[in-house]
């Protein structure tokens, strides 16, 4: 099966629809320990109240490490993004869990 660049938006639309329907049917209880760890940044959730679409994240360089977020048990976290020269840009922040948000 040959996929052309012209079909890419159509394929992405169907993938997003599939993801939305599978996530709606799954009940997820979120707790603090489920967040601890390192998470690759794959996109940004657009829209309001967690309802919307995922805007894909482009990493700065092919040879750089992947951008990531790291959540710690002490409710501290950091986002690490790499610029085009693979230099790390680190942003630290505090976090808390409010329901499933």
């Amino acid at each position: 099966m040959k996929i052309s660049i012209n079909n890419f938006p159509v394929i992405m639309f169907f993938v997003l629809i599939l993801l939305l329907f599978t996530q709606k049917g799954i009940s997820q209880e979120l707790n603090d320990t489920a967040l601890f760890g390192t998470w690759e940044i794959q996109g940004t959730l657009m829209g309001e109240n967690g309802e919307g679409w995922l805007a894909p994240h482009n990493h700065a360089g092919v040879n750089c490490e992947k951008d990531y977020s790291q959540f710690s048990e002490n409710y501290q976290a950091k986002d690490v993004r790499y610029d085009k020269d693979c230099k790390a840009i680190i942003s630290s922040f505090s976090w808390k869990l409010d329901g499933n948000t």
Side-chain angles (χ1 to χ4, degrees):
M1 178 173 152
K2 184 176 179 182
I3 299 174
S4 74
I5 194 71
N6 295 335
N7 293 334
F8 185 74
V10 174
I11 293 169
M12 287 305 297
F13 174 77
F14 284 112
V15 168
L16 288 173
I17 294 298
L18 178 65
L19 287 173
L20 287 173
F21 281 114
T22 56
Q23 292 299 319
K24 294 284 184 187
I26 299 173
S27 175
Q28 295 181 357
E29 281 300 317
L30 195 59
N31 59 44
D32 294 354
T33 56
L35 293 176
F36 299 156
T38 302
W39 300 82
E40 180 185 328
I41 299 174
Q42 296 184 353
T44 303
L45 187 60
M46 307 298 287
E48 297 180 17
N49 299 323
E51 299 291 327
W53 62 97
L54 187 67
H57 174 73
N58 293 324
H59 299 283
V62 186
N63 297 323
C64 300
E65 291 185 47
K66 301 287 186 187
D67 298 340
Y68 65 90
S69 296
Q70 189 172 54
F71 293 85
S72 303
E73 295 177 23
N74 62 358
Y75 298 97
Q76 297 299 307
K78 65 180 178 180
D79 280 332
V80 179
R81 295 179 185 248
Y82 294 91
D83 65 14
K84 63 181 176 163
D85 298 320
C86 299
K87 181 181 175 191
I89 302 166
I90 302 172
S91 302
S92 297
F93 59 95
S94 299
W95 66 273
K96 70 175 183 173
L97 189 62
D98 184 11
N100 282 335
T101 304

